Amino acid sequence: MKVPDLVAAARAGDRRATARLISMLENGTAEAPEVARLVKGGDATIVGVTGSPGVGKSTLVSALIGAWREAGLRVGVLAVDPSSPFTGGAILGDRVRMADHALDPGVYIRSVATRGHLGGLAATTGAAVRLLEGLGFDVVIVETVGVGQAEVEIAALADTTLLLLAPGMGDGIQAVKAGVVEIADVYVVNKADRPGAEGTVRDLRALMSLVRREPGEWRQPICSTVASEAKGIDDLVAAIGKHRDWLAGGDHLAVKRRRRAAAEIRARVDAELRRRYAVPEALAEQVANGETDVASAVGRVLGDTA
C-alpha cells in the first residue's frame, strides 16, 4: 500500500496503517519524508506522564484513557519502554496495563523503544506525536521511561506534564530536589490510599511555597489519585483542562510548540550522529587491550586523525 493510501486508512481508524506509518518514521525509511509531508496539522492536547518506576504511570494512563473516551475523544498513547540490550526492542510492559482499551477503535497504543536515547524518551517520539496529532487524535499521551531527577525531555515535548509521585518512594527531601520535579505542570500523588500520602502532599505544598511567581503565572495543582480504582481521575482531567486553557490564554502554547519542534530537531540530530559515528568493534578492542587510548579513539571516530 502506498503512503497516501496508508494515511487515508489511518485517518479512518485503521490501526495497522497507523502502525506502519510510525514504523516508517522510527526506522527512517525512504517513505518517511513523504509521511511527514502528508500528515500535518492537528490540535491535539499533548500530555506527558513521567515519574519514577513503580509510581503507577501506566495504570494512571489507562484511567485517563477511560475518562477521555467517555467524553468522546480519540486518544493516542506512546508508551516509551527501555530497549532490550539484546534485541533493541521494547518489552511492551506498559501495554499490558492498558489492555482494557486494546479493542477500542478510538484508542491507539504503541510501545516505543528508547534505542539508547537518554532523557526518558526515544529520538523519534516527537515525530510520532506529530503524526498522531495530524491523524486527528484529540489527545496524545506520552508515557516516559521511569525517570530520574535529570531526565526532563518530556517537558519540551508535552503541552502539559504530569509528574507522578507515590507514598513510600522516598523521603520528603526528594520533593525539593532540583530536576524532574521542576518541570511538572501538574503534580499527581498516586496510590493516595496508602500510608504517607498526606505527607507527600504536604512536602509538595512546602515546595510550592518556596517558589516565587509573578501575577498570572501558572501555579501547579496537586492532585491525589488511586489510579487502579479511577479515584481522583475526574479532578486530574479538570486540572489538565485548566492548564490547557491557561496556555491558550496567552502565547504560552505557541512557545511550547516552538520548543517541541526544537527538541524534535535536536533528538533527530543526536540519533543521526549516533548512526554516523558508530564505534567499530575493532577500535573498542584496541582501547580495551591498551593499544590506544580513549581520546585517540574518539578522534578516529570523528575523523580528526588517520
Side-chain angles (χ1 to χ4, degrees):
M1 190 180 292
K2 295 182 179 179
V3 170
D5 296 327
L6 283 172
V7 171
R11 285 187 169 138
D14 188 326
R15 294 186 188 181
R16 185 171 297 180
T18 301
R20 288 185 62 185
L21 291 171
I22 292 179
S23 293
M24 289 175 182
L25 294 176
E26 287 181 340
N27 298 324
T29 64
E31 297 87 358
E34 184 180 5
V35 173
R37 285 195 301 270
L38 290 176
V39 185
K40 296 180 181 178
D43 190 31
T45 297
I46 315 301
V47 179
V49 179
T50 190
S52 302
V55 294
K57 295 188 297 296
S58 298
T59 305
L60 184 88
V61 168
S62 182
L64 286 172
I65 293 172
W68 277 315
R69 288 299 293 143
E70 285 185 8
L73 303 181
R74 289 184 70 201
V75 183
V77 179
L78 298 171
V80 185
D81 280 320
S83 293
S84 164
F86 304 106
T87 67
I91 196 171
L92 310 184
D94 292 324
R95 292 176 65 177
V96 173
R97 295 186 176 87
M98 303 176 200
D100 290 346
H101 307 286
L103 300 179
D104 186 341
V107 178
Y108 177 77
I109 302 171
R110 184 180 180 94
S111 289
V112 181
T114 57
R115 302 188 183 187
H117 187 77
L118 302 178
L121 301 178
T124 55
T125 306
V129 167
R130 195 177 297 279
L131 177 75
L132 293 178
E133 187 175 27
L135 290 175
F137 284 87
D138 301 297
V139 181
V140 178
I141 305 173
V142 181
E143 180 192 337
T144 73
V145 172
V147 298
Q149 292 167 333
E151 294 163 314
V152 296
E153 282 191 5
I154 188 62
L157 178 65
D159 298 331
T160 301
T161 300
L162 312 182
L163 174 62
L164 270 66
L165 301 100
M169 299 299 292
D171 60 29
I173 296 299
Q174 297 299 118
V176 294
K177 284 186 176 180
V180 70
V181 171
E182 296 180 332
I183 56 95
D185 298 304
V186 179
Y187 295 118
V188 183
V189 177
N190 193 33
K191 305 182 181 181
D193 54 341
R194 293 187 176 182
E198 293 182 1
T200 303
V201 171
R202 188 166 53 248
D203 291 335
L204 286 170
R205 286 177 178 160
L207 168 65
M208 300 296 295
S209 69
L210 299 175
V211 180
R212 296 185 60 182
R213 291 179 178 79
E214 299 298 326
E217 282 192 62
W218 176 252
R219 185 174 182 84
Q220 297 96 325
I222 302 169
C223 297
S224 296
T225 62
V226 183
S228 60
E229 301 175 12
K231 291 182 178 179
I233 298 301
D234 289 343
D235 289 341
L236 177 56
V237 169
I240 295 169
K242 288 180 181 178
H243 185 248
R244 173 77 176 194
D245 292 341
W246 178 81
L247 288 173
D251 63 348
H252 309 293
L253 187 58
V255 170
K256 281 263 188 181
R257 295 301 170 92
R258 287 197 298 271
R259 288 177 179 171
R260 188 210 302 180
E264 185 179 338
I265 293 169
R266 283 194 298 269
R268 295 298 294 271
V269 169
D270 288 345
E272 177 60 21
L273 290 176
R274 285 175 177 271
R275 184 196 65 79
R276 190 175 300 179
Y277 296 107
V279 179
E281 284 291 329
L283 182 58
E285 185 175 357
Q286 290 176 19
V287 172
N289 293 338
E291 298 173 21
T292 187
D293 61 274
V294 172
S296 298
V298 170
R300 288 169 62 180
V301 170
L302 296 177
D304 295 339
T305 59

